[in-house]
Amino acid sequence: MTLLAVRDLCIDIGGRRIVEDVSITLEAGRSLALVGASGSGKSQSCMAPFGLSPASVGGSVLFDGEELVGAGEKRLRVVRGRDVGFVFQQPLTALTPHLTIGAQLREAWTQAGAARPDRAAMAAALERVGLDRPAERLDQYPHRLSGGQRQRALIAMAIAHKPRLLVADEPTTALDAMLRAEIMALLGRLCTEEGMALLLVSHDLAAVADHADDVAVLHAGRIAESGPTAQILGAPQNDYARALIAASPRLDGPPPELGPVGAPLIEAERVSVSFRRPGWRRGRTIAVDDVGLSVAEGEAVAIVGGSGSGKSTLARAIARLGPIDVGEVRWRGMPLPERRAMRPRDRAGLQPVFQDPVASLDPLWTVADIVAEPLRRLRPDLDATAVDARVRAMLDEVGLDPALAGRRPSALSGGQAQRVAIARALGPDPAMLLLDEATSALDVLVAGTILDLLAGLQRRRGLAILMITHDLAVARRLCHRILVMDGGRIVEAGPTEQMIAAPQHHVTQRLVAASR
């Protein structure tokens, strides 16, 4: 039975058409994935027909035979509360921060007129979606949960009123590989048990291949190709669909050509980091426990692991960007000063590139100011003319049009913003880059171009790279070695191809299995 029938859907925002003539059909109990690059219209195609966007909608959207286009907000609110559940990309922003998980679950449960649930029923709902200690979670606030726990809680709220359609908008983008696989398996199981239809928005083609019956590839607001998942992903006919699939990192492709490795550059020994426990609880939480690593000149090393494993805390401690309790860090054989004692010449050698490209850039500054800032602070030998020339050279090196120099971050795409962040990091002429999930916020096409850029920069400049990532396939494209962290410790380390072909530790084995 057809549950959702979309015909000739058109969506306009601010007088600009962003979706044109999109037609899809979804039957009860089946799953359909919308895939494509950022800005292709995937999310708007799912949200606007249900009144969750300021856009104007044209065409026809029949939900169980009822026309939604032109329906008033009052009617759409009834449909959302009774028949449709929504799982959003960022669970921390989708959840109300000042309400407990139990209060928010109760609200979702009763929105369709159901009886007020008791604690036992709500705890059972959280347990069903895989949350440990469910009764305890009912009294916790969203910030006390990990990313995976928050997403599970959000899923419990989305299905509490037993909807017939579940809309999941990039539900796993912010999660590590193991959690992504678990969440997608959970959504598939719930849809099977409840007989729900699943409308999935994703740029994770591996997840789509395993969990969607059909797929529609969107490009520039139009459907480029659609059909059964195995057919579209196995033998795409459209050039854009082929490019999208080719850009997805894989573990089974030919190994990349990596540059030569030189002398040791940075060495860390017996590093430990702890944090004071919040609230009334006493003591400290150990985030990094007695860890050592080294990165040589021209070498790329990836630290991989699940959320909360300590990989970013370790990297920030080594780079003197975050706290460190004990441990020694040497740069070219000499002790690196403590964080507050770092001098400009110490900072210039190791430059960071962060996960969210827009959030890491000052929104009030122009691109030229952003790239010039570290030059003014870390390269006092350069006068104003030399700084301006180097800014232009850095923008050119990362493939950006110099005309973008006068723009602010809000006027840049995600890929352009990350290229600006890389240009800023390259300005002081560092020997090493710290990449903290530098591509996880980007779609596969943009992330692929950023990885190609970094690989080219590494070869031309002989850059060392310390990459923090939860994606082994991404690490494989760039890195000589992989270190796997779990519970604040390195549990396995070795050459990249060896780690992927013959993982020994159970955490590494799970990461490899989740990345295939």
Side-chain angles (χ1 to χ4, degrees):
M1 180 189 75
T2 298
L3 182 65
L4 182 69
V6 178
R7 292 288 178 270
D8 303 323
L9 177 67
C10 296
I11 300 175
D12 297 328
I13 293 182
R16 184 171 65 92
R17 179 146 296 182
I18 60 172
V19 171
E20 178 113 33
D21 296 334
V22 165
S23 298
I24 56 174
T25 300
L26 180 58
E27 296 181 358
R30 291 183 64 82
S31 56
L32 168 67
L34 303 183
V35 302
S38 298
S40 60
K42 308 184 298 295
S43 294
Q44 288 294 335
S45 296
C46 291
M47 299 299 171
F50 296 100
L52 294 179
S53 167
S56 59
V57 181
S60 174
V61 179
L62 295 177
F63 182 80
D64 197 21
E66 179 183 357
E67 181 62 69
L68 299 184
V69 174
E73 172 58 25
K74 183 178 181 180
R75 181 58 192 161
L76 291 176
R77 189 181 302 117
V78 171
V79 172
R80 293 196 301 264
R82 184 192 63 197
D83 298 314
V84 187
F86 296 89
V87 181
F88 300 101
Q89 179 174 357
Q90 294 291 347
L92 188 58
T93 57
L95 296 170
T96 304
H98 64 274
L99 294 180
T100 64
I101 296 299
Q104 296 183 67
L105 179 57
R106 185 181 298 110
E107 179 185 13
W109 200 299
T110 58
Q111 64 182 336
R116 184 183 178 92
D118 58 22
R119 283 185 63 88
M122 291 194 296
L126 294 183
E127 184 176 22
R128 187 182 180 198
V129 297
L131 265 177
D132 62 328
R133 307 198 304 276
E136 178 183 334
R137 305 300 182 194
L138 290 173
D139 299 320
Q140 292 181 331
Y141 292 90
H143 72 274
R144 297 292 301 276
L145 305 183
S146 70
Q149 290 170 336
R150 286 192 290 263
Q151 195 64 290
R152 290 176 188 273
L154 194 63
I155 292 171
M157 296 171 197
I159 65 171
H161 60 293
K162 300 186 181 301
R164 290 185 289 165
L165 170 65
L166 185 63
V167 179
D169 187 6
E170 298 282 10
T172 62
T173 298
L175 306 178
D176 64 63
M178 292 184 289
L179 282 175
R180 288 203 305 266
E182 292 174 5
I183 293 298
M184 289 306 304
L186 170 64
L187 290 174
R189 175 175 62 81
L190 291 173
C191 287
T192 299
E193 292 175 356
E194 299 291 338
M196 291 186 297
L198 174 63
L199 184 57
L200 173 68
V201 174
S202 180
H203 59 241
D204 185 349
L205 295 187
V208 168
D210 292 335
H211 299 286
D213 297 313
D214 301 288
V215 64
V217 180
L218 269 71
H219 176 51
R222 293 177 176 269
I223 291 183
E225 191 170 358
S226 63
T229 300
Q231 172 187 318
I232 299 300
L233 299 187
Q237 302 300 307
N238 180 269
D239 289 341
Y240 177 77
R242 284 195 290 266
L244 196 68
I245 294 168
S248 300
R250 301 175 62 88
L251 293 182
D252 55 1
E257 295 184 10
L258 302 176
V261 175
L265 181 63
I266 194 167
E267 300 167 282
E269 295 179 355
R270 306 187 67 82
V271 174
S272 294
V273 183
S274 64
F275 298 98
R276 187 182 300 277
R277 290 176 179 167
W280 55 268
R281 296 177 300 172
R282 296 183 178 182
R284 300 180 71 85
T285 298
I286 298 175
V288 177
D289 187 11
D290 195 25
V291 171
L293 63 82
S294 65
V295 182
E297 295 174 346
E299 183 182 29
V301 176
I303 305 177
V304 303
S307 300
S309 60
K311 51 189 187 296
S312 291
T313 302
L314 171 62
R316 292 175 67 87
I318 292 172
R320 299 301 195 240
L321 297 173
I324 181 171
D325 293 346
V326 296
E328 181 182 2
V329 182
R330 296 186 298 275
W331 179 265
R332 299 191 191 277
M334 300 297 294
L336 200 62
E338 296 297 325
R339 180 168 49 156
R340 294 178 179 176
M342 290 282 282
R343 298 155 296 187
R345 65 173 180 268
D346 300 319
R347 292 286 184 201
L350 198 166
Q351 289 290 295
V353 179
F354 298 107
Q355 177 175 1
D356 190 326
V358 176
S360 70
L361 306 178
D362 192 312
L364 300 180
W365 287 12
T366 65
V367 167
D369 290 333
I370 290 168
V371 178
E373 185 215 7
L375 295 173
R376 298 189 180 108
R377 293 179 177 271
L378 305 179
R379 292 292 303 273
D381 56 308
L382 300 178
D383 59 20
T385 301
V387 167
D388 290 342
R390 190 155 182 81
V391 167
R392 291 193 297 272
M394 291 304 97
L395 293 178
D396 180 67
E397 188 169 6
V398 300
L400 286 175
D401 188 338
L404 296 177
R407 290 192 186 180
R408 287 180 169 77
S410 60
L412 303 175
S413 68
Q416 289 172 332
Q418 197 62 295
R419 288 175 186 266
V420 171
I422 295 171
R424 176 180 59 183
L426 293 175
D429 200 19
M432 180 175 173
L433 292 181
L434 168 61
L435 308 177
D436 192 357
E437 299 284 9
T439 61
S440 65
L442 307 173
D443 67 63
V444 290
L445 283 176
V446 176
T449 62
I450 295 297
L451 288 173
D452 290 341
L453 169 64
L454 290 167
L457 290 169
Q458 184 187 19
R459 288 191 295 268
R460 291 195 303 271
R461 286 174 166 251
L463 278 171
I465 291 177
L466 183 60
M467 170 182 273
I468 313 304
T469 183
H470 55 238
D471 194 329
L472 278 176
V474 169
R476 183 175 183 266
R477 288 187 61 172
L478 203 61
C479 296
H480 298 77
R481 288 188 295 128
I482 290 177
L483 316 177
V484 179
M485 286 195 73
D486 183 55
R489 288 179 170 269
I490 293 177
V491 297
E492 189 173 358
T496 298
E497 296 303 320
Q498 174 185 315
M499 294 280 286
I500 292 172
Q504 301 300 308
H505 196 275
H506 67 89
V507 172
T508 314
Q509 292 168 353
R510 289 181 63 198
L511 283 168
V512 171
S515 300
R516 291 196 183 280

